[in-house]
Amino acid sequence: MADDGAPYPAHWEADVVLRDGATMRIRPIRPDDAAALQRFHVRQSPESTYFRFFAPLARLSDADLDRLTVVDHRDRVALVLVSGGEIVAVGRYDRVTPDEAEVAFNVADALQGRGLGSVLLEHLAAAARERGVRRFVADVLPGNARMIHVFRDAGYDVRQAYEDGVLSVAFEIDPTERSLAVMAERERRAEARSMAGLLAAGSVAVVAEGEVEAAAAEATARRLLAGDFTGQVHLVGPAFVGAVPVGDAPSGSGPGSGSGPRPPTSVRIRLEDLDAAVDLLVAGAPAERLPALVTRAAALGTHGVVVLPGARTDADAAAHHQEAVLRAARDAGVRLVGPESYGLVASGPHGRLTATPATALPPAGAVGVFCQSAAAGVSLLQALRRRGLGIGTFLSAGHRADLSGNDALQYWTQDPGTRVACVYLESIGNPRKFTHVARTLAARVPVVAVVSGATGQAVPPGHRVRTSREPRRVLEELLRQAFVIRAESTHEMLDVAQLVAAQPTPRGRRVAVLTNSGSLGSLVAEIARARGLAAAGEPVHLAAGAGAPEYGEALEALVARGDWDALVVAYVPLLGERDPAVGRAVAAAAAASGRTTLACVLGLHGLPEELGGADGGRVPAYATVEDAV
């Protein structure tokens, strides 16, 4: 019989990331979970059963199953973690006074130590607070150290007393500064590890099926095989049979490569024919095939699936297919990138992983890049390549059914190779979380963001991307509070990125100017003042025909001065060809001063070799002095 109580709280359902980066579904228990709960119970060891029920219990009786699965979602609440359609953990509370409830957990023996108990406690406490409960109590056997640690490690102030062989614990569940910090850190570590499982893949399977969808997969395979990735590559689909020299592999001697050559490429007709371990699956396949591919990939140990752009369908069918593949990924415990993703690029222990259909890529570097649509990915990669601006990580999340910009930000918080994070957002699904994560990252490296798309506007019918509901001015304020540098365009975002990636952060607002054009010098000073910067004395003007000797002498004098924080060097060869030695002089001065230096040199843009110093550093070049300032 059902308890009279609150309606089924669907808003308590959530997808969660565990300590090891795997994903599961958490939801309230339902009466039809009785059979699954019995299967979970009989799989548990006698010790785990005794810790939970304080008695040996080989099977649950029908009365026990009814009591445990039929709850009122108010005074009696139970949440389950589900993986592969099976219950793998249960957390519950039973109210004993108006503001106090007894709490209990049971986690599958094979999954203990992966943080399931912490996730259950976090969500159960949130549900309890919603129902007016303020305190959790529990009776724990002294040998059940794991349960005691779950309570303590959650950041709550746990009180305990020992009596009659049982340890009684009690703690207030209102969030504290410490408990909130613990929750945020658990989430950060879990999501970062989940991302690392994708970006450090040592084996990749590329699946090409369907006339339209296979094209992106075939392009991805060519890009992957042409690079210096030294892991195992598996190609799946009829298009690859006879078209790939399976014995050929790069030497692995390129920049960022792994320790040796890649193993021979394997080719299969179907993914079902593959029996090797696969860390990452890249799928160019019809939408209706994706759930089956995800399920099979999970059996091969896959951490994540990238779904490449495919054939267009009507909005309702596309939304249905997206939900189906997401549910398959959740059931399998793998991360989903896409649908409609332009892939990913990362440098890891197996060389440079180039799982993208891009025809040309930027060099390896220290910039992390996140975008959503494939179109944005194409544009960004080409712009980065033109500038010579190197990337460490590139991720296109497509429709963001699962993996989002927040996951990328979490990863960059612990990636020492990322010096600047660039995010191009067509929408923000969870602005509050974005702000919190971005603030954490911005404390370590600069974060530059462009936010476009339908922010605060009505969502078109059938739209498959989670959108931001807040007005644009609210999002702009959130970015400001998170210390995110807001750019108006991708051009401006990359202008900022190349500065902070190549030069030290300015220590103040004083700007010095060196140029061979009087009008340019005055313009720089005027723009600087208009932007709230301070001119460091009068601009240093050289003759129109000034070359490397004159620039070198003037730069040496500027380096000796201590009244500036950033230097803008403008060089326009008015009376002849550009002298490359001027660029070398600028780079040498930048290295000697240790202060921010920018250049505006006719014909140079990005991080050109001409502005490179002996120490390997580069001075960023800008098309106009307005961009430089």
Side-chain angles (χ1 to χ4, degrees):
M1 58 177 287
D3 288 359
D4 293 329
Y8 178 83
H11 64 286
W12 289 353
E13 295 185 355
D15 297 314
V16 296
V17 183
L18 304 181
R19 185 176 296 158
D20 60 359
T23 60
M24 288 185 183
R25 183 73 173 173
I26 191 170
R27 61 168 173 80
I29 204 166
R30 301 188 298 249
D32 60 3
D33 285 323
L37 185 63
Q38 185 74 277
R39 291 193 298 272
F40 166 75
H41 178 81
V42 300
R43 287 194 300 266
Q44 292 292 79
S45 67
E47 181 184 50
S48 292
T49 299
Y50 193 81
F51 281 155
R52 170 63 182 89
F53 295 101
F54 288 31
L57 199 62
R59 292 183 64 84
L60 297 172
S61 67
D62 289 343
D64 288 333
L65 288 171
D66 186 68
R67 176 176 59 85
L68 294 172
T69 59
V70 181
V71 297
D72 63 8
H73 306 301
R74 184 186 61 223
D75 298 329
R76 300 179 62 246
V77 169
L79 302 178
V80 294
L81 278 166
V82 180
S83 177
E86 291 292 327
I87 292 174
V88 295
V90 185
R92 63 186 309 115
Y93 77 72
D94 292 271
R95 196 190 301 257
V96 292
T97 71
D99 62 354
E100 186 174 278
E102 184 175 7
V103 66
F105 298 96
N106 200 2
V107 177
D109 292 335
L111 300 179
Q112 291 187 10
R114 293 176 59 185
L116 278 71
S118 298
V119 170
L120 279 171
L121 177 59
E122 179 182 321
H123 286 257
L124 202 60
R129 290 193 296 269
E130 186 178 320
R131 299 305 193 219
V133 175
R134 292 291 174 261
R135 185 182 308 106
F136 275 170
V137 298
D139 288 336
V140 183
L141 291 175
N144 194 358
R146 286 186 183 274
M147 184 57 62
I148 298 171
H149 283 303
V150 166
F151 296 145
R152 288 177 177 168
D153 294 346
Y156 295 113
D157 183 14
V158 179
R159 302 180 300 279
Q160 58 186 52
Y162 184 77
E163 186 177 356
D164 296 330
V166 175
L167 190 65
S168 296
V169 300
F171 53 94
E172 307 295 325
I173 61 173
D174 284 336
T176 65
E177 184 175 344
R178 180 166 175 259
S179 68
L180 291 173
V182 168
M183 288 167 52
E185 180 62 14
R186 181 199 66 76
E187 185 177 66
R188 185 190 69 79
R189 289 182 179 273
E191 292 179 351
R193 183 164 295 181
S194 177
M195 282 286 294
L198 298 174
L199 301 176
S203 56
V204 182
V206 182
V207 178
E209 296 184 9
E211 293 184 10
V212 176
E213 295 83 0
E218 292 170 26
T220 299
R222 288 192 295 271
R223 167 56 53 193
L224 189 60
L225 293 173
D228 61 2
F229 179 65
T230 62
Q232 178 72 62
V233 177
H234 305 280
L235 304 180
V236 181
F240 293 127
V241 177
V244 178
V246 297
D248 291 350
S251 64
S253 60
S257 65
S259 58
R262 183 177 61 242
T265 303
S266 71
V267 178
R268 298 289 190 277
I269 296 292
R270 305 178 310 154
L271 190 62
E272 290 78 6
D273 300 328
L274 185 62
D275 57 3
V278 173
D279 295 330
L280 177 68
L281 177 74
V282 182
E288 61 271 15
R289 273 283 291 157
L290 292 174
L293 292 176
V294 168
T295 301
R296 175 56 186 160
L300 301 175
T302 300
H303 299 298
V305 177
V306 177
V307 179
L308 298 171
R312 293 293 179 184
T313 59
D314 67 84
D316 291 339
H320 170 75
H321 290 312
Q322 179 168 305
E323 179 61 29
V325 69
L326 177 61
R327 186 53 45 219
R330 285 289 177 259
D331 289 343
V334 302
R335 300 306 303 268
L336 180 67
V337 184
E340 300 293 322
S341 166
Y342 201 56
L344 57 86
V345 178
S347 296
H350 303 280
R352 200 177 192 209
L353 173 63
T354 52
T356 173
T359 56
L361 291 175
V367 180
V369 180
F370 172 86
C371 67
Q372 292 173 216
S373 69
V378 171
S379 175
L380 279 169
L381 289 175
Q382 290 182 353
L384 286 158
R385 186 168 181 265
R386 286 194 300 269
R387 291 172 181 253
L389 188 54
I391 59 172
T393 309
F394 166 80
L395 179 71
S396 163
H399 289 159
R400 291 189 304 124
D402 172 24
L403 196 140
S404 70
N406 291 336
D407 295 277
L409 294 172
Q410 297 279 38
Y411 172 77
W412 290 324
T413 62
Q414 54 83 56
D415 177 33
T418 300
R419 290 190 57 183
V420 54
C422 293
V423 289
Y424 182 89
L425 301 171
E426 295 163 37
S427 60
I428 301 178
N430 188 339
R432 289 186 182 277
K433 181 176 179 180
F434 172 83
T435 303
H436 171 76
V437 177
R439 183 187 293 118
T440 301
L441 176 59
R444 191 181 74 82
V445 300
V447 181
V448 193
V450 174
V451 181
S452 65
T455 302
Q457 301 175 9
V459 180
H463 192 65
R464 289 170 282 162
V465 180
R466 291 169 290 155
T467 58
S468 313
R469 297 289 186 176
E470 286 76 7
R472 187 173 186 85
R473 66 181 182 278
V474 174
L475 293 179
E476 292 173 353
E477 178 62 18
L478 289 175
L479 294 179
R480 189 191 66 80
Q481 292 183 11
F483 307 111
V484 172
I485 303 170
R486 185 172 65 87
E488 295 293 342
S489 64
T490 56
H491 175 83
E492 184 177 312
M493 178 175 70
L494 298 183
D495 276 351
V496 175
Q498 68 184 37
L499 169 64
V500 295
Q503 290 289 300
T505 304
R507 291 174 292 185
R509 295 177 174 273
R510 300 171 301 173
V511 180
V513 183
L514 171 63
T515 179
N516 66 336
S517 167
S519 60
L520 276 183
S522 300
L523 180 60
V524 172
E526 181 181 338
I527 296 172
R529 284 190 291 269
R531 295 295 179 90
L533 303 174
E538 292 297 320
V540 178
H541 292 138
L542 301 177
E550 293 81 7
Y551 268 92
E553 183 178 342
L555 286 165
E556 185 176 348
L558 279 165
V559 170
R561 287 168 45 182
D563 63 343
W564 58 271
D565 305 299
L567 171 64
V568 177
V569 180
Y571 168 49
V572 182
L574 299 173
L575 304 178
E577 297 294 324
R578 185 176 73 240
D579 183 357
V582 172
R584 293 192 292 271
V586 173
S593 72
R595 286 172 279 179
T596 312
T597 305
L598 305 83
C600 182
V601 179
L602 186 66
L604 297 183
H605 191 223
L607 298 176
E609 292 185 8
E610 192 170 312
L611 289 168
D615 62 348
R618 299 281 179 94
V619 172
Y622 295 87
T624 68
V625 291
E626 291 89 347
D627 288 345
V629 175

